[in-house]
Every structure is written in structure tokens, then in C-alpha cells.
Amino acid sequence: MTRPTNAERLQKVIARSGLTSRRGADSLIVEGRVSVDGRTARPGQRVDPASVEVLVDGIRLPVNPDLVYYLLHKPLGVISTTQDPEGRATVVDLVPSRPRVFPVGRLDADTTGLILLTNDGGFANLVTHPRYGITKTYDVLVDGPTTSRHLARIRRGVELDDGPARVVALRKVGSDGHRSHLEMSMSEGRNREIRRLWEALGFRVVRLHRTSVGPLRDRALAPGEWRCLEVGEVRAFYSHVVGATDHRAGREMSR
């Protein structure tokens, strides 16, 4: 068998990811809790971390050292693209220039809050595709008093020009009689979806701020600040997908 050119001991690869120590990685392998490309890992196995899929307890472990994951607090007016023909600041201007990354989904220029950037296309697809059920939560301020009737209408779904818009969760935080403060969770990322949804009911969104992406929240990040995701945070997304898949499979079997 030809050994991969950049092969390293698997326990070293696992330890470098930040999940556990080398000794802890050895124990995971011996206990049969690690798989490599779909096969149970062997003690002493060597792998190329840039070309294999490593799962621990059935959850993907990011081991490729060339992949990066950033969480950014996007400020007002910054564009969620890799470049802008009008010369406006973009989210990639706010994070390290190497390796090159791209935003996961988008936030409008007049929307603030959390956005992910990465060079991992598979991870980006997992976060953005509606079938994986990764929700994003927003702090919303609308101009005008909303009633329980308005909220019920939103929860039922509102037909937009590109199809129905539906919320995953919606609650009213407060109101001063002139403006309504709401929290909304969405699983899609269509263009200006929340703004258009409220406009369909006659309301104007005056402030929109994303507070979470899936399991990720970070109130400590100031506008323009970013940080690298921890290995456990990346795995939390894959864990969510595994759980959602198991749940769907269970529903299918019960029919």
C-alpha cells in the first residue's frame, strides 16, 4: 500500500485540531470512536490531514490545517462580498488576507451582526443550505406598533415575489408605542428577506442585527472585530446536521 506523501500519525492530527491531547486521541482510536474516510481507524494509522475525512463519535473533526473559520461582527455599511466594484469596504477587508476566505451567506450593507468567513466550501454549504436547518437569529426593530395579529400572520408565512417566507421562531421583545422590538429566527438567507417580509405587512425595518448563526453567539465582539472558531464550535454545526438527519430518519421509520 502506498503511504500518503504528507502522512502523519492520526493521534497527532487529532491532537493538533484542539479536540484532545495525543494520549486522549490514542484512547479514542483504541475505543473505536474514530473513523477515517468511513472506516474505523487503527492504532498507529497515518493519514494526510489535507485529504481525509476524520469523524469522532460520528461527528466530523476539522483536521485540515489549510482550512480556517472566522466569526466577524459586521459593521454597518460593510459589504458581504469578497470585492466591491464601487470600492466600498467588504467583510474580507476586516480579516487576515491569507489564506483567502469568502463570506458564508450574506448580510445586507445596512444590516449588522455576526457572519462567518471560511475557505471551506463544504462547511459553507452546510451553514447556508436550508435543508440542513441551520437557523440565524436577528434582533429586529420595526417602525410602528405590531399586534398579535401581525405576529400570527408572519408565523403563518407571507408570500413574497420569490416565494413564501416563513420564520422558524418569532417573539415580541417590547414596544414603545411607536416602534416594535422583535426577535426572529430564519433558516433561509434570501435577499433582504426579513425587510421584505415586514414591508409586505406595511412596516419598515429600521434596524436589523444578526445575533446568532446556528449555535454561535458572541456578544463580546465589537463591530469590526473577528475571531477564529474553536474546534468545538465547528463540530457543533456538524453535530446539528447529524442530529437533524437522525431525527428525519426516525420520523420516516415511524410512518
Side-chain angles (χ1 to χ4, degrees):
M1 179 181 294
T2 303
R3 177 179 294 177
T5 305
N6 299 313
E8 301 178 70
R9 286 191 175 274
L10 180 57
Q11 66 266 40
K12 178 181 177 182
V13 171
I14 293 173
R16 189 174 58 227
S17 76
L19 179 67
T20 185
S21 64
R22 288 199 191 187
R23 180 172 295 180
D26 275 329
S27 297
L28 291 173
I29 295 169
V30 170
E31 292 166 9
R33 297 166 59 187
V34 181
S35 68
V36 177
D37 291 339
R39 295 184 177 183
T40 302
R42 308 180 310 276
Q45 184 173 352
R46 301 177 71 90
V47 299
D48 178 357
S51 63
V52 296
E53 180 181 63
V54 177
L55 273 61
V56 177
D57 294 331
I59 308 299
R60 184 180 172 189
L61 180 67
V63 296
N64 187 339
D66 297 328
L67 298 180
V68 297
Y69 309 85
Y70 302 136
L71 180 66
L72 169 72
H73 181 159
K74 189 189 86 65
L76 193 68
V78 174
I79 311 301
S80 297
T81 58
T82 56
Q83 57 184 354
D84 181 63
E86 299 178 27
R88 293 171 294 182
T90 72
V91 289
V92 297
D93 295 328
L94 302 177
V95 298
S97 59
R98 293 288 184 272
R100 296 179 63 181
V101 295
F102 52 86
V104 179
R106 59 172 292 162
L107 290 176
D108 302 320
D110 48 0
T111 299
T112 60
L114 300 181
I115 188 169
L116 292 165
L117 296 97
T118 186
N119 54 356
D120 184 344
F123 177 79
N125 183 61
L126 179 151
V127 175
T128 57
H129 201 291
R131 75 169 175 264
Y132 295 119
I134 303 294
T135 61
K136 294 84 177 175
T137 302
Y138 300 82
D139 188 76
V140 188
L141 188 66
V142 301
D143 197 8
T146 58
T147 66
S148 57
R149 180 175 58 85
H150 295 122
L151 302 190
R153 172 77 187 284
I154 293 289
R155 293 187 181 108
R156 287 197 304 269
V158 177
E159 189 69 34
L160 302 178
D161 56 6
D162 56 353
R166 293 186 175 86
V167 299
V168 174
L170 168 64
R171 72 181 183 94
K172 190 171 183 176
V173 178
S175 175
D176 62 4
H178 301 286
R179 291 180 171 180
S180 299
H181 182 195
L182 307 119
E183 183 181 77
M184 300 179 65
S185 295
M186 311 287 291
S187 62
E188 293 184 299
R190 287 147 59 185
N191 185 38
R192 302 182 72 82
E193 185 175 18
I194 291 178
R195 296 179 188 277
R196 291 188 293 130
L197 192 157
W198 284 105
E199 286 169 2
L201 272 66
F203 293 92
R204 181 175 65 90
V205 173
V206 295
R207 188 183 71 217
L208 185 58
H209 177 81
R210 185 191 278 170
T211 57
S212 72
V213 180
L216 281 176
R217 286 181 178 268
D218 195 325
R219 296 181 180 179
L221 283 179
E225 289 186 343
W226 63 275
R227 67 172 176 83
C228 291
L229 295 191
E230 298 176 1
V231 63
E233 292 176 318
V234 178
R235 292 192 78 219
F237 283 93
Y238 290 101
S239 178
H240 173 90
V241 170
V242 169
T245 301
D246 290 345
H247 179 66
R248 285 195 297 268
R251 285 190 303 176
E252 290 295 328
M253 290 179 65
S254 65
R255 289 179 181 174

